[in-house]
Amino acid sequence: SRLCSDVVKEDGGIKWLHLYMFEERDLVEKAIKSAEATGKFTAIVLTCDHPHVRVQGRMLPYFSSLPFPSEALDRSFFPNQDSVGGETITLRELLSLDRTTSNVPGGTNSDKLSWDDVKWIKSLTGLPIVAKGVLSAADARRALWSGVDAIIVSNHGGRQFDGAPPAIECLPAVVAAVGGKIPILVDTGVRSSTDIVKAICMGATAVLLGRPPLWALACGGSDALGRMLNTLKDDIKADMMSLGARSLADLGPSLIWP
């Protein structure tokens, strides 16, 4: 593995800063200014559905069973905090915790997270702000009023709050509430080309992938990731041909079976 900061400097791909709101605002400001200083980042993604660190004790046995390389054990389990000098915990310390632990020490996520934080972040930077974790029309309108430049409809991969509604089911209400004023992206549960096509039909501007790229990287590195993305692209083209859609503009709600 390599440090994220080293990869950022060398890689030419598009980069967005995935930001968590810390209690210590100086750390948030430092993260933003550090990202800007690289000249590599084109947006800030503010996670809006994670006002605390919640790695539950029942997950610890799963971590313990993984074959971590020895050099990884003393690296930070919270690289976001670590990169800006915040309190953190190493992987070795995480694995030594008792499984009854309800919250892992080391996180400093703010439990006072509010839409006013968006306005404060906008005062620090000229980069576009993307609000991630919106699942309701009401929050979509609040995000719009607070000045965000885009919204990601997401339930945090279904692992942050049991019982949260599926992102795809929340998408139409968010799209309607925003009314085309800003882009709407969606993630969570996207596994196939048809998932992507359905989301575009339901009004998403774009679709984000999480676990499939990680699975491809874990199985075969960057080559496997490239093959996975190319296969997905080919499958999307085939899906669109089956629907009679010549372009993404042809995809719409009329193609969704109720």
Side-chain angles (χ1 to χ4, degrees), residues 21-28 51 107-112:
M21 192 66 198
F22 301 151
E23 291 178 359
E24 303 88 347
R25 288 199 166 202
D26 60 313
L27 298 182
V28 178
T108 55
N109 295 36
S110 174
D111 61 3
K112 300 178 179 62

Side-chain angles (χ1 to χ4, degrees), residues 47-176:
T47 299
C48 300
D49 61 348
H50 202 316
H52 48 72
V53 173
R54 192 183 192 187
V55 179
Q56 295 170 316
R58 67 173 183 263
M59 297 301 296
L60 293 178
Y62 296 102
F63 282 106
S64 301
S65 65
L66 295 174
F68 293 107
S70 57
E71 63 269 19
L73 293 175
D74 294 314
R75 290 181 181 170
S76 171
F77 189 70
F78 296 105
N80 288 350
Q81 286 92 327
D82 189 49
S83 65
V84 291
E87 183 184 1
T88 187
I89 184 173
T90 66
L91 179 57
R92 188 187 303 276
E93 291 169 328
L94 175 77
L95 297 177
S96 68
L97 293 175
D98 186 89
R99 65 178 298 168
T100 60
T101 301
S102 59
N103 286 293
V104 172
T108 55
N109 295 36
S110 174
D111 61 3
K112 300 178 179 62
L113 184 65
S114 76
W115 293 112
D116 288 336
D117 292 319
V118 174
K119 299 175 183 177
W120 176 70
I121 291 171
K122 286 183 72 69
S123 73
L124 299 177
T125 180
L127 292 174
I129 308 297
V130 182
K132 177 179 180 291
V134 173
L135 290 173
S136 71
D139 274 346
R141 286 189 287 268
R142 292 187 186 101
L144 190 61
W145 296 336
S146 70
V148 304
D149 299 282
I151 285 172
I152 299 175
V153 181
S154 169
N155 68 11
H156 216 95
R159 64 176 180 80
Q160 178 61 15
F161 179 62
D162 290 344
I168 192 67
E169 293 187 13
C170 299
L171 177 60
V174 172
V175 170

Side-chain angles (χ1 to χ4, degrees), residues 193-212:
S193 60
T194 51
D195 291 338
I196 295 171
V197 171
K198 289 174 186 176
I200 299 298
C201 285
M202 296 169 72
T205 310
V207 179
L208 304 176
L209 297 175
R211 290 171 188 167

